[in-house]
Amino acid sequence: MTPEVEAAVAELVSAFPKATVTATSTGDGGADVTIDPVDPGPAYNERETWVRFNIGFQYPHADVYPIFVRPDLVRADGADHPEGIALGSVGDTRALQLSRRSNRLNPASDTAALKVTKVLHWLETR
Amino acid sequence: MMGPITLRIPRSMMVELNDHLFPGDGDEHGAVIGAAVVPTSDGGMRLLAQELFLAEDGIDYLPGQRGYRMLTADFVRRCALACADRELAYLPIHNHGGTDQVGFSQPDMASHERGYPALLDILDGPPVGALVFAQRAVAGDIWLPDGRRHELDHAIVVGPTSARLQARPSEPSLVDPMYDRQARIFGDRGQDLLRRQTVVIVGLGGAGSLVNEYVARLGVGHIVGIDFDRLDETNYPRIVGARPPDLEGRRSWLHWIGGGRLGKSDHQLPYKVDIAQRVAREANPTISYDAIVGDITDDAVARRLGDADAIFLAADSMQARLVVNRAVHQYLVPAWQVGAKVQVNKETGDLVDVFSVVRHLVPGETCMWCNGLISSSMLAEEAVSAEQRRRQRYIDEVAAPSVITLNAVATAHAVNDYLFSVATPERNSGETKWVKYRPGIQQPAVEIPRTDPSCSECCSSRAAGDGQRLPTKTTRVA
């Protein structure tokens, strides 16, 4: 992994101390990362999900996007998932895709840990 | 035999240094440049001026004990330690009178011999050297840690133009009569400058193949062409110099197996760089050509950018933009990004916009990252497999429309800009503008690029040389 991707993974480990953070090198300097488990919040019936995403070799200039969670996440109010959340797949695994791009990304401050935290907060508050 | 030692100075630093050395009093003044050291492929060295320390008259620059003036020991110590901390070459500077010719005096050389062995010990690695400037000339005495000592070959002031400074005007080689008509514009000296140039072309597709032909026909001496892709029927109309026999090998194979029943194979199709090399050699039989089948995001390929005198970015990926944009500022090499865009309404098929674009990337001054031209989300998309991209996008990837004449507009303007920036750098080199040309519209659309002083690309990386990693792939295991 590039030094920048390594640092991102280390920061994710610190940011999610109650979860297992697994980073698999993609062979080009990037990494496929899984964080498990994470609580998506009371808006959902399921209170545990894994989170999966790719950190590209050109991180921190590359966005951490999209982010994937378990495909069977169901809203407690029974409503459909809103725009930005749709069924897809990551690799051969079915998943809900959370499509939240960063606007005007600042590579000095917009870390992977910050992005994942923001997206999970967005998921929690849908 | 060692290749030449050269110096590259950003225009803004040169302006500041000139104002300090030549304030109009006719006197001598002093300064120090800290320069990143970049070994070049010919065994030489590029010094990239990264930091300028101005010596204040009467405080840091005093009457000398053996020469006319001297830098104080305290100033030397501060600057040398600053250079040592950052592994920069230490280059003290002063000026002489005169315009187009300059050299060190005997007292100058004697002071080098007294002081530089000790300075080399302090720096412990990078070279130490002196520079002396006249109005339009520079001489350098560069001391290497291994004991060798070399004259500076030349300096390039890198801005909207590439002004070349030497110790004395050189006699140009006799121009090949083949270039007589263009040498009447630039003179033998200008044509000779072109012959000495190394141009890197990233992407040898529709736009890049045109740049390749133009640059070769202008008499540039060395081209490095980089592309990983092959010719096929879909890009054939736009690849300048592609011939029907280039596709024949594949057709013959298909005919042999009975008309393609077993599917397609492109193993016999030539690489785009091979066609570009053929075109360049037909245009200029004496050209030196490096055809690299490779990806600019591979570190070994990207490092070729640091050796260039100019870069043409004709590849359409965001990943390529990020690498080249960084290299421009990190290695002080100017670039021209060229392209053409045809925007179509996906639902109606109507044309929304059509334009050709040229963006001159001036080291330390104009930057694609500052101007929002490198999409972070597209960098993320390009990092995953095509299959995963399809899964993520919900829609099929559709090839963008592409037309040779739109490519020709952008590339002709870009190569002209490059040509005049090298051969006639004394022309007005004011503010750099980015230009879009639209068919049927007489006036091009001009954009003055903005600069963000906190930008990680054009400001923080300026003249970093090999002291910083390029945003390329790595196979390094964590």
Side-chain angles (χ1 to χ4, degrees):
Chain A
M1 298 175 204
T2 69
E4 294 84 359
V5 172
E6 282 181 20
V9 172
E11 192 183 350
L12 285 163
V13 170
S14 297
F16 295 90
K18 296 180 184 170
T20 301
V21 177
T22 310
T24 306
S25 170
T26 49
D28 57 3
D32 287 326
V33 180
T34 302
I35 305 174
D36 189 12
V38 166
D39 183 358
Y44 302 92
N45 290 338
E46 297 75 19
R47 297 306 300 270
E48 278 193 359
T49 179
W50 44 262
V51 181
R52 206 165 291 171
F53 50 91
N54 172 263
I55 305 178
F57 70 90
Q58 289 182 318
Y59 173 89
H61 297 81
D63 197 359
V64 176
Y65 155 88
I67 290 172
F68 298 90
V69 296
R70 60 188 291 178
D72 58 348
L73 208 60
V74 174
R75 291 183 62 85
D77 61 6
D80 290 339
H81 291 296
E83 192 176 343
I85 303 175
L87 198 58
S89 60
V90 54
D92 294 329
T93 305
R94 281 168 57 80
L96 277 181
Q97 176 172 323
L98 314 180
S99 299
R100 296 290 295 172
R101 298 175 198 227
S102 297
N103 293 321
R104 300 291 297 171
L105 183 145
N106 181 345
S109 57
D110 292 334
T111 64
L114 184 61
K115 177 66 182 278
V116 173
T117 304
K118 279 184 180 175
V119 171
L120 290 176
H121 176 71
W122 171 82
L123 175 69
E124 190 175 342
T125 55
R126 288 298 89 200
Chain B
M1 186 169 138
M2 183 169 175
I5 298 181
T6 62
L7 171 69
R8 299 179 84 82
I9 313 177
R11 173 174 70 156
S12 58
M13 184 183 288
M14 193 67 225
V15 167
E16 190 180 359
L17 180 61
N18 255 351
D19 289 347
H20 178 72
L21 296 179
F22 304 103
D25 59 0
D27 206 351
E28 188 178 297
H29 305 279
V32 168
I33 277 179
V37 180
V38 181
T40 52
S41 55
D42 58 1
M45 183 181 290
R46 276 191 180 177
L47 303 170
L48 308 179
Q50 191 182 110
E51 183 91 35
L52 176 64
F53 307 90
L54 298 177
E56 197 173 337
D57 294 337
I59 298 177
D60 306 313
Y61 204 55
L62 298 175
Q65 288 155 4
R66 285 169 223 172
Y68 178 59
R69 290 273 193 272
M70 67 175 193
L71 295 170
T72 64
D74 181 60
F75 185 79
V76 170
R77 183 184 57 81
R78 277 189 285 123
C79 296
L81 289 177
C83 289
D85 278 347
R86 288 148 62 182
E87 297 182 15
L88 302 178
Y90 170 85
L91 305 173
I93 295 166
H94 69 286
N95 61 291
H96 287 175
T99 49
D100 296 317
Q101 191 160 293
V102 72
F104 292 103
S105 62
Q106 274 290 2
D108 288 339
M109 297 300 264
S111 77
H112 302 171
E113 278 147 25
R114 278 194 307 274
Y116 288 2
L119 282 169
L120 281 169
D121 282 342
I122 292 173
L123 264 71
D124 190 26
V128 168
L131 303 173
V132 61
F133 282 85
Q135 292 272 6
R136 289 191 298 273
V138 65
D141 177 24
I142 310 297
W143 291 52
L144 302 180
D146 62 9
R148 289 180 294 163
R149 191 173 167 183
H150 287 269
E151 282 188 29
L152 184 75
D153 189 83
H154 65 269
I156 299 287
V157 180
V158 186
T161 61
S162 294
R164 186 182 175 106
L165 301 176
Q166 297 171 173
R168 63 201 72 80
S170 55
E171 284 303 314
S173 313
L174 282 176
V175 171
D176 187 328
M178 192 159 65
Y179 301 109
D180 174 65
R181 294 291 292 274
Q182 69 186 44
R184 292 172 191 230
I185 303 175
F186 310 118
D188 289 354
R189 186 161 281 123
Q191 191 62 44
D192 197 42
L193 286 173
L194 288 172
R195 184 185 60 79
R196 295 163 185 253
Q197 289 275 298
T198 294
V199 169
V200 175
I201 306 172
V202 180
L204 274 305
S209 68
L210 286 160
V211 170
N212 181 76
E213 171 138 40
Y214 297 155
V215 165
R217 289 189 178 279
L218 286 173
V220 163
H222 182 198
I223 294 177
V224 178
I226 300 170
D227 200 314
F228 54 80
D229 204 6
R230 293 181 186 267
L231 182 75
D232 64 33
E233 287 105 342
T234 64
N235 55 43
Y236 177 86
R238 292 179 305 285
I239 305 294
V240 168
R243 302 168 184 163
D246 294 326
L247 294 175
E248 278 305 309
R250 174 165 171 249
R251 289 196 181 122
S252 298
W253 185 82
L254 289 173
H255 177 76
W256 180 73
I257 61 158
R261 282 175 289 126
L262 295 181
K264 298 179 183 178
S265 167
D266 64 359
H267 69 276
Q268 295 196 45
L269 291 172
Y271 286 104
K272 290 176 182 176
V273 290
D274 293 331
I275 295 176
Q277 182 177 54
R278 182 179 70 205
V279 166
R281 285 184 172 158
E282 286 175 352
N284 177 5
T286 65
I287 200 167
S288 171
Y289 202 102
D290 298 338
I292 298 179
V293 177
D295 192 329
I296 195 63
T297 58
D298 290 333
D299 194 65
V301 176
R303 294 217 169 268
R304 299 300 302 267
L305 299 173
D307 255 18
D309 296 301
I311 302 164
F312 286 91
L313 172 58
D316 53 11
S317 75
M318 290 294 161
Q319 290 181 344
R321 286 189 179 190
L322 186 68
V323 173
V324 171
N325 186 70
R326 171 74 73 76
V328 163
H329 305 294
Q330 189 164 320
Y331 289 99
L332 299 184
V333 178
W336 283 263
Q337 187 244 339
V338 293
K341 191 150 187 173
V342 179
Q343 286 178 309
V344 176
N345 183 308
K346 291 187 176 97
E347 288 169 18
T348 65
D350 294 337
L351 274 181
V352 174
D353 196 7
V354 182
F355 60 83
S356 309
V357 64
V358 179
R359 299 184 178 106
H360 183 186
L361 305 180
V362 178
E365 295 188 21
T366 56
C367 170
M368 297 187 80
W369 184 263
C370 282
N371 287 275
L373 292 168
I374 303 175
S375 162
S376 298
S377 55
M378 287 189 68
L379 288 175
E381 289 186 17
E382 288 175 8
V384 298
S385 67
E387 181 59 36
Q388 182 61 31
R389 270 201 301 281
R390 272 193 292 278
R391 290 192 198 110
Q392 288 171 189
R393 277 195 180 182
Y394 318 116
I395 56 173
D396 291 332
E397 285 187 356
V398 177
S402 186
V403 178
I404 188 170
T405 44
L406 295 176
N407 291 333
V409 168
T411 53
H413 281 287
V415 177
N416 264 341
D417 283 353
Y418 157 72
L419 174 65
F420 282 85
S421 77
V422 170
T424 59
E426 63 278 4
R427 289 174 80 239
N428 181 27
S429 58
E431 210 167 27
T432 301
K433 299 180 179 67
W434 291 349
V435 190
K436 283 182 180 171
Y437 305 89
R438 289 183 166 85
I441 297 177
Q442 296 256 350
Q443 283 292 109
V446 172
E447 177 190 348
I448 297 174
R450 60 182 291 271
T451 302
D452 178 355
S454 65
C455 178
S456 59
E457 306 309 286
C458 62
C459 295
S460 309
S461 299
R462 195 183 79 166
D466 291 343
Q468 186 171 301
R469 219 176 57 80
L470 286 170
T472 51
K473 294 173 183 166
T474 179
T475 54
R476 179 168 161 264
V477 176

